[in-house]
């Protein structure tokens, strides 16, 4: 089955799908995006993703390209046409095509692109993956709460992680506190069993997986607090983990080369991941 992409009202062969060179996403990174997981044919956490998309668009004063009901249809159509049962939907909205000028153009129409691709179903054993991270000074802007396509600082930091043989880089602010990864949110479990993750301020993206995991933590009655934590605190934590739509929840076993906790097992990380994926898995 050859891949199909939705571009500005049309379903096109993925290999030749394109937007104009004057698209403001291309010239100014003037746009936003969402990545959603498809699990067993259903979109995971679709509602919260659409709420965050609306927030990002509103922050940048980009009009919604269509209603949420229409968007849901397009995403399902992209999933269907690409034969995706387990995979990813990528959705991007830019301010549109206009002659290059920094200020908002008067006449541009938002440009919507939706793609979908298959990937292997989430493997429960992935929770045992040996995820190492590095910590690194952050070089991002001050509105990380907007899911903007302007990801160059994250790209540069992820590359540093890769070159260091690590999966992710936790970006540290001037006060020495961990913000988040380059494409994931950061969490620790302290020695007294309290789950800690930074509060959703403008220094981090309020991950949809983060919100879902916080809901599970509340429901299950685990102790938690939303506050910044330092690199030293992370290194002496009992457990550490990261979350995103793409990886769901993965335990972090090494930080800057040092082991986190005793090494094995990671009961809370496992439990939280199972709880998050369980409703989706039961729909299979
Ligand atoms: N990244 N923080 C950043 C900077 C991110 O880019 C992401 C997601 C997250 C986690 O958000 P969520 O749980 O909603 O996926 C946190 C996506 C998956 C990406 O860029 O591919």
């Amino acid at each position: 089955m050859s891949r199909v992409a939705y571009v500005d009202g049309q379903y096109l062969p993925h290999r030749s799908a394109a937007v104009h060179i004057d698209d403001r996403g291309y010239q100014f990174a003037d746009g936003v995006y969402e990545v959603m997981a498809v699990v067993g044919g259903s979109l995971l956490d679709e509602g919260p993703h659409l709420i965050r998309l609306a927030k990002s668009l509103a922050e940048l004063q980009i009009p919604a390209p269509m209603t949420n009901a229409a968007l849901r249809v397009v995403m399902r159509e992209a999933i269907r046409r690409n034969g995706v049962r387990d995979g990813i939907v990528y959705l991007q909205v830019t301010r549109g095509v206009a002659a290059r000028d920094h200020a908002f153009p008067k006449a541009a129409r938002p440009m919507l692109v939706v793609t979908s691709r298959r990937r292997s179903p989430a493997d429960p054993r992935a929770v045992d993956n040996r995820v190492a991270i590095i910590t690194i000074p952050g070089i991002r802007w001050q509105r990380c709460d907007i899911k903007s396509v302007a990801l160059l600082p994250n790209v540069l930091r992820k590359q540093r992680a890769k070159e260091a043989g690590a999966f992710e880089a936790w970006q540290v602010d001037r006060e020495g506190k961990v913000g988040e990864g380059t494409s994931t949110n950061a969490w620790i479990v302290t020695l007294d069993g309290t789950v800690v993750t930074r509060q959703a301020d403008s220094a981090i993206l309020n991950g949809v997986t983060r919100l879902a995991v916080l809901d599970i933590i509340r429901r299950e009655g685990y102790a938690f607090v939303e506050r910044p934590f330092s690199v030293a605190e992370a290194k002496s934590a009992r457990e550490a983990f990261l979350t995103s739509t793409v990886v769901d929840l993965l335990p972090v076993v090494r930080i800057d080369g040092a082991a986190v906790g005793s090494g094995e097992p990671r009961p809370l990380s496992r439990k939280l991941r199972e709880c998050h994926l369980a409703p989706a898995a039961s729909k299979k």
Side-chain angles (χ1 to χ4, degrees):
M1 181 184 273
S2 49
R3 288 185 68 199
V4 171
Y6 175 92
V7 183
D8 196 25
Q10 287 181 292
Y11 294 93
L12 303 171
H14 191 275
R15 62 178 184 284
S16 55
V19 295
H20 194 270
I21 53 169
D22 279 342
D23 188 274
R24 289 178 64 92
Y26 180 57
Q27 292 183 336
F28 295 111
D30 188 359
V32 302
Y33 75 107
E34 283 293 328
V35 181
M36 298 185 209
V38 185
V39 182
S42 301
L43 280 161
L44 189 64
D45 300 324
E46 182 182 17
H49 278 288
L50 291 179
I51 290 170
R52 187 173 62 190
L53 174 67
K55 176 186 176 296
S56 298
L57 288 170
E59 291 286 357
L60 301 189
Q61 298 172 50
I62 296 176
M66 57 177 65
T67 63
N68 274 355
L71 210 46
R72 285 173 193 265
V73 171
V74 171
M75 290 193 293
R76 277 161 186 71
E77 194 56 17
I79 291 169
R80 191 187 69 75
R81 289 187 188 229
N82 288 289
V84 175
R85 183 158 174 77
D86 290 284
I88 289 290
V89 168
Y90 178 81
L91 182 163
Q92 178 173 308
V93 184
T94 68
R95 201 178 302 279
V97 175
R100 188 175 184 280
D101 181 23
H102 287 64
F104 298 170
K106 284 203 176 72
R109 211 167 31 81
M111 167 69 68
L112 171 65
V113 169
V114 179
T115 60
S116 185
R117 66 174 166 80
R118 292 184 211 168
R119 60 170 192 169
S120 305
D123 179 354
R125 282 168 306 173
V127 81
D128 294 323
N129 274 358
R130 299 264 149 189
V131 169
I133 63 118
I134 57 168
T135 60
I136 198 162
I139 50 170
R140 302 184 302 157
W141 73 329
Q142 288 165 16
R143 291 303 309 273
C144 297
D145 54 318
I146 301 172
K147 199 159 174 60
S148 151
V149 294
L151 290 173
L152 190 54
N154 301 43
V155 166
L156 295 175
R157 285 335 199 188
K158 185 74 107 188
Q159 182 60 23
R160 287 280 283 272
K162 196 173 170 190
E163 286 164 7
F167 177 78
E168 179 60 298
W170 280 4
Q171 304 177 86
V172 179
D173 65 20
R174 291 208 181 112
E175 283 75 50
K177 305 290 187 190
V178 173
E180 61 181 335
T182 65
S183 61
T184 56
N185 288 117
W187 307 69
I188 57 169
V189 183
T190 61
L191 293 181
D192 71 359
T194 305
V195 182
V196 185
T197 194
R198 191 187 177 100
Q199 71 278 11
D201 53 20
S202 58
I204 66 163
L205 182 76
N206 193 1
V208 166
T209 321
R210 174 187 182 280
L211 289 170
V213 169
L214 279 177
D215 274 351
I216 294 164
I217 287 169
R218 280 190 203 100
R219 196 179 69 213
E220 300 287 322
Y222 295 115
F224 78 97
V225 54
E226 292 176 80
R227 62 161 174 81
F229 58 85
S230 68
V231 173
E233 215 181 343
K235 286 180 178 168
S236 61
R238 180 192 288 176
E239 293 182 41
F241 59 93
L242 46 82
T243 56
S244 84
T245 298
V246 172
V247 300
D248 201 74
L249 185 158
L250 291 177
V252 170
V253 298
R254 297 187 86 77
I255 300 178
D256 294 333
V260 180
S262 59
E264 292 288 336
R266 310 191 172 273
L268 198 48
S269 308
R270 273 166 205 258
K271 165 93 180 153
L272 292 172
R273 180 182 163 100
E274 277 166 23
C275 288
H276 185 227
L277 289 175
S282 68
K283 282 190 201 145
K284 285 193 175 188

